[in-house]
């Protein structure tokens, strides 16, 4: 179906400038006036009559509510890629396949001992006194694992110079996580990120072809792990994250979980002093490290078989990671091999080492890293890999700020701080770990369920949903006090991203589009205009204006709810 050209009543929909009296009429008038001045300079007086005529015609047409189509545009928006961000190039398949074959063989030849540890079950939070009591590991098994780890490090491949270039964002999606990623990539563009994006999935069965074709226009590209490797060796999704980092075409990567999104522009961190100095940036989780006391010995960090050197450190929350592959793939290290009493002139590769930990993660390393506690998976492999390779990394010193559902004590998301600000918690990312932001979950009432998720109930259809009343009554979902204190208000932009998916993307339909726009009007004062008139019909021909509710109005609405 051919898309209609549409009208933009207001030439700027940037949330920071919307609603401040900049009318479309005055903007166009100033633009035409400037054009006439330029013409006059170039062509002298002969162009004056023509310029005046143009000004007159535009003014008459605009004041008479005549539609002025913006051909091919869907509103002046970062989602229309005004900066011309190019989709990332595809990595050479043969190179990645050969890399996988090399690593696959290498990792299979260096299996830890024992080859399998059952994930322990917990009734309460592990504490320092019982971290060594959740599974059995003999002295011989520990020594064999330590020696295997040491031998592996001497054989890891060097950094492939020239294969990875530039900076970009990597997101692991696939299946229903692609719906979360649709919101996340929208937020990237809404907050002003100009980085190209790779959206990874397991294989073609988890990929949405039409969406992959669509995102190219925004400087993004879809990738499939199965195109380069045998996924039968990696059956747990926790194992896949590190391979998206490894295989990405970018030399410098911002990795995001599908449900983690920026609340401010994350591009600037690549130019920060802390990133240039450290090369890797990681964020803390809620709790301290819960790894076994064997861990430092197994990885060569300590010669003591039982060590408490990690218990005071924070566990990692890996929903967002900055990683410089060039500096943290191949690195000289001395302390590590000296602890093994080996020659110092050797090399270790921290990213490839993290890949090894994840490759054998399900059967061994995940349990070693956190004793089977909450977060069992990839999260702590990245920091330990840097430590074991004597590689620097920066742990953001600020604790998580929890965001709550308005009117409740239910945590809905984790706000992580800007690493460049060492003195104060300046919000940069929000990891929506509890309630995922997807068009289907928030807006669908009659949508068909995804295959294999027939029992998944959307919030509008779930009487027990913590956000049902908010969606039905037009209330904010996030409690705003902490967000306003942090100088951010991400929810209006998150709804803009949802509206794009619901109304202007292959994901959407008329039902979810109308639900999105109804909520945005009631809650934030957004207006949806076509041809200068209010319009909420499904389709691209509608321009978003606003939001127009001020912070004080939002606060009042929140308190009254």
């Amino acid at each position: 179906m051919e898309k209609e050209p549409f009208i933009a009543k207001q030439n700027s929909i940037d949330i920071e400038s919307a609603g401040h009296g900049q009318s479309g009429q005055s903007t166009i008038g100033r633009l035409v006036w400037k054009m006439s001045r330029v013409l006059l300079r170039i062509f002298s007086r002969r162009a004056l009559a023509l310029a005046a005529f143009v000004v007159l015609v535009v003014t008459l047409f605009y004041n008479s509510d005549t539609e002025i189509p913006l051909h091919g545009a869907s509103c002046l928006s970062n989602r229309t890629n005004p900066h011309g961000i190019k989709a990332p190039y595809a990595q050479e398949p043969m190179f990645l396949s050969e890399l996988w074959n090399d690593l696959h063989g290498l990792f299979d030849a260096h299996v830890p001992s024992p080859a399998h540890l059952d994930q322990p079950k917990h009734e309460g939070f592990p504490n320092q006194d019982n971290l060594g009591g959740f599974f059995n590991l003999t002295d011989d098994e520990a020594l064999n694992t330590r020696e295997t780890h040491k031998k592996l490090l001497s054989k890891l491949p060097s950094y492939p110079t020239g294969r990875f270039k530039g900076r970009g964002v990597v997101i692991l999606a696939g299946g229903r996580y692609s719906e979360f990623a649709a919101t996340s990539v929208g937020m990237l563009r809404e907050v002003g990120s100009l980085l190209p994006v790779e959206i990874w999935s397991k294989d073609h069965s988890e990929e949405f072809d039409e969406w992959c074709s669509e995102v190219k226009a925004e400087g993004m590209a879809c990738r499939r792990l199965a195109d380069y490797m045998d996924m039968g060796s990696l059956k747990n999704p926790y194992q896949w994250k590190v391979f998206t980092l490894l295989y990405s075409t970018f030399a410098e990567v911002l990795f995001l979980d599908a449900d983690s999104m920026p609340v401010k522009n994350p591009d600037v961190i690549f130019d920060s002093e802390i990133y240039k100095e450290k090369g890797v940036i990681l964020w803390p989780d809620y709790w301290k490290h819960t790894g076994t006391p064997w861990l430092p010995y197994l990885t060569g960090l300590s010669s003591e078989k039982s060590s408490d050197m990690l218990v005071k450190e924070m566990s990692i929350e890996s929903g967002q990671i900055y990683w410089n592959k060039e500096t943290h793939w191949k690195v000289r290290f001395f302390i590590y091999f000296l602890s093994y009493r080996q020659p110092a002139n050797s090399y270790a590769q921290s990213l490839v080492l993290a890949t090894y930990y994840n490759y054998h993660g399900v059967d061994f390393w995940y349990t070693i890293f956190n004793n089977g506690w909450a977060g069992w998976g990839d999260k702590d492999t990245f920091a330990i890999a840097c430590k074991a390779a004597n590689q620097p990394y920066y742990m953001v010193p600020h604790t998580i700020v929890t965001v709550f559902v308005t009117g409740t004590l239910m945590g809905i998301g984790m706000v992580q701080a800007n690493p460049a600000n060492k003195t104060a918690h300046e919000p940069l990312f929000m990891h929506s770990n509890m309630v995922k932001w997807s068009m289907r979950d928030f807006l669908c009432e009659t949508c068909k369920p995804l295959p294999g998720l027939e029992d998944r109930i959307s919030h509008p259809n779930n009487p027990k949903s913590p956000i049902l009343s908010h969606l039905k009554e037009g209330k904010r979902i996030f409690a705003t006090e902490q967000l306003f204190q942090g100088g951010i208000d991400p929810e209006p932009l998150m709804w803009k991203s949802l509206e794009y998916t619901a109304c202007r993307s292959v994901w959407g339909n008329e039902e979810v589009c109308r639900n999105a726009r109804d909520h945005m009007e009631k809650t934030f004062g957004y207006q949806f205009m076509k041809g200068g008139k209010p319009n909420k019909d499904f389709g691209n021909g509608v321009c978003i204006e606003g939001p127009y509710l001020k912070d004080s109005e939002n606060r009042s609405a929140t308190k009254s709810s």
Side-chain angles (χ1 to χ4, degrees):
M1 182 175 67
E2 186 175 351
K3 298 177 181 177
E4 300 178 21
F6 66 92
I7 312 310
K9 180 180 175 185
Q10 186 170 311
N11 273 358
S12 174
I13 62 167
D14 190 310
I15 191 169
E16 295 180 355
S17 60
H20 291 278
Q22 290 289 345
S23 69
Q25 181 177 349
S26 61
T27 302
I28 291 178
R30 285 195 300 271
L31 178 62
V32 175
W33 171 249
K34 290 179 180 179
M35 291 174 61
S36 66
R37 293 292 301 272
V38 171
L39 286 171
L40 184 59
R41 289 194 194 102
I42 297 175
F43 298 107
S44 188
R45 298 186 180 185
R46 286 181 294 179
L48 182 59
L50 177 61
F53 177 75
V54 170
V55 172
L56 176 63
V57 170
V58 170
T59 303
L60 288 174
F61 268 74
Y62 193 76
N63 286 337
S64 63
D65 290 331
T66 303
E67 296 187 359
I68 305 172
L70 301 179
H71 298 288
S74 61
C75 248
L76 297 179
S77 163
N78 286 339
R79 301 303 299 271
T80 60
N81 199 2
H83 300 283
I85 307 165
K86 295 182 179 179
Y89 70 93
Q91 186 62 265
E92 184 180 342
M94 184 63 68
F95 161 66
L96 293 182
S97 296
E98 290 177 351
L99 178 60
W100 161 249
N101 288 331
D102 290 344
L103 294 180
H104 178 57
L106 182 64
F107 296 164
D108 279 347
H110 293 80
V111 180
S113 180
H116 177 79
L117 288 172
D118 291 329
Q119 180 183 352
K121 304 300 181 183
H122 294 271
E123 296 182 358
F125 184 80
N127 57 59
Q128 183 175 347
D129 296 330
N130 65 3
L131 289 178
F134 293 104
F135 59 87
N136 293 320
L137 195 67
T138 69
D139 287 352
D140 287 343
E141 288 171 336
L143 179 60
N144 289 338
T145 298
R146 177 180 166 90
E147 291 298 317
T148 298
H149 189 273
K150 177 179 66 175
K151 292 175 183 177
L152 170 81
L153 285 168
S154 66
K155 299 177 181 178
L156 293 178
S158 299
Y159 180 75
T161 304
R163 290 292 186 177
F164 307 108
K165 299 177 182 179
R167 298 169 174 172
V169 179
V170 170
I171 296 176
L172 177 56
R176 71 186 182 96
Y177 285 89
S178 291
E179 296 189 354
F180 310 151
T183 308
S184 183
V185 298
M187 280 296 288
L188 276 167
R189 294 296 179 248
E190 293 291 355
V191 299
S193 174
L194 303 182
L195 293 172
V197 179
E198 290 183 344
I199 304 167
W200 286 80
S201 60
K202 175 188 176 184
D203 54 32
H204 189 266
S205 69
E206 295 197 350
E207 193 174 73
F208 187 9
D209 291 340
E210 290 83 357
W211 185 50
C212 288
S213 298
E214 181 180 279
V215 297
K216 291 179 182 178
E218 291 194 74
M220 306 177 189
C222 289
R223 304 275 189 256
R224 299 186 293 255
L225 287 168
D227 288 350
Y228 313 110
M229 60 191 296
D230 175 18
M231 296 304 294
S233 302
L234 304 168
K235 297 181 179 180
N236 192 304
Y238 291 138
Q239 298 173 281
W240 304 343
K241 179 184 297 187
V242 70
F243 282 95
T244 66
L245 276 163
L246 192 76
Y247 291 168
S248 166
T249 57
F250 308 124
E252 299 178 77
V253 179
L254 165 59
F255 174 88
L256 293 175
D257 277 352
D259 56 358
S260 184
M261 60 194 79
V263 295
K264 291 185 178 179
N265 191 339
D267 301 8
V268 297
I269 302 303
F270 283 111
D271 293 317
S272 67
E273 291 302 317
I274 196 65
Y275 172 78
K276 293 177 182 178
E277 177 186 351
K278 300 295 186 179
V280 167
I281 299 176
L282 303 172
W283 276 261
D285 211 324
Y286 284 108
W287 53 83
K288 300 286 187 180
H289 203 286
T290 59
T292 173
W294 282 109
L295 177 56
Y297 176 76
L298 300 178
T299 56
L301 296 175
S302 172
S303 59
E304 300 293 328
K305 293 182 179 179
S306 180
S307 171
D308 63 356
M309 65 182 296
L310 299 175
V311 296
K312 294 183 179 181
E313 296 189 8
M314 296 299 294
S315 182
I316 302 298
E317 194 275 289
S318 60
Q320 50 287 312
I321 298 172
Y322 284 88
W323 198 286
N324 187 326
K325 284 159 56 170
E326 187 170 6
T327 63
H328 281 67
W329 183 307
K330 178 178 180 179
V331 56
R332 286 185 180 274
F333 71 104
F334 301 93
I335 297 175
Y336 182 84
F337 265 79
L338 287 174
S339 71
Y340 274 140
R341 293 179 173 83
Q342 294 292 319
N345 189 21
S346 302
Y347 291 91
Q349 295 81 3
S350 54
L351 181 57
V352 187
L353 183 56
T355 307
Y356 168 75
Y357 293 149
N358 282 275
Y359 183 87
H360 290 298
V362 173
D363 285 325
F364 186 83
W365 287 109
Y366 292 164
T367 296
I368 294 292
F369 284 140
N370 89 334
N371 272 304
W373 176 242
W376 182 89
D378 63 84
K379 62 198 294 294
D380 289 306
T381 62
F382 301 100
I384 297 299
C386 289
K387 287 178 180 292
N390 193 34
Q391 184 88 57
Y393 70 94
Y394 183 66
M395 170 69 90
V396 176
H398 306 295
T399 57
I400 296 170
V401 172
T402 302
V403 179
F404 296 91
V405 176
T406 300
T408 77
L409 296 177
M410 176 185 172
I412 191 176
M414 304 181 291
V415 176
Q416 295 282 20
N418 184 340
N421 190 335
K422 296 182 180 181
T423 59
H425 190 295
E426 176 188 337
L428 184 60
F429 296 104
M430 178 179 290
H431 193 170
S432 302
N433 60 324
M434 298 303 294
V435 175
K436 315 291 188 183
W437 283 72
S438 80
M439 176 205 75
R440 183 182 302 273
D441 287 347
F442 275 51
L443 303 170
C444 280
E445 297 180 59
T446 62
C447 300
K448 294 181 179 179
L450 292 173
L453 295 171
E454 287 78 9
D455 59 344
R456 186 173 180 83
I457 305 174
S458 65
H459 293 291
N461 293 326
N462 183 1
K464 296 182 179 180
S465 168
I467 63 171
L468 176 61
S469 65
H470 303 73
L471 296 174
K472 295 294 186 182
E473 300 169 19
K475 296 187 294 185
R476 277 176 171 265
I477 293 173
F478 293 147
T480 57
E481 183 175 357
Q482 287 176 303
L483 297 177
F484 289 156
Q485 287 176 353
I488 60 169
D489 186 17
E491 190 172 345
L493 284 182
M494 293 165 76
W495 275 99
K496 273 187 74 176
S497 183
L498 282 181
E499 188 272 347
Y500 186 92
T501 306
C503 303
R504 308 161 193 268
S505 169
V506 294
W507 294 99
N509 60 46
E510 188 170 355
E511 172 200 334
V512 294
C513 179
R514 187 176 298 110
N515 288 344
R517 290 174 176 171
D518 282 346
H519 183 84
M520 293 169 70
E521 280 188 338
K522 289 187 292 185
T523 311
F524 306 106
Y526 277 109
Q527 295 179 12
F528 300 92
M529 312 295 292
K530 185 174 182 180
K533 300 177 181 179
N535 189 299
K536 290 188 289 183
D537 292 341
F538 173 61
N540 272 343
V542 175
C543 182
I544 303 178
E545 297 184 14
Y548 289 113
L549 291 182
K550 299 178 182 178
D551 285 356
S552 58
E553 293 173 297
N554 287 328
R555 289 192 183 97
S556 298
T558 300
K559 290 179 180 178
S560 64
S561 64

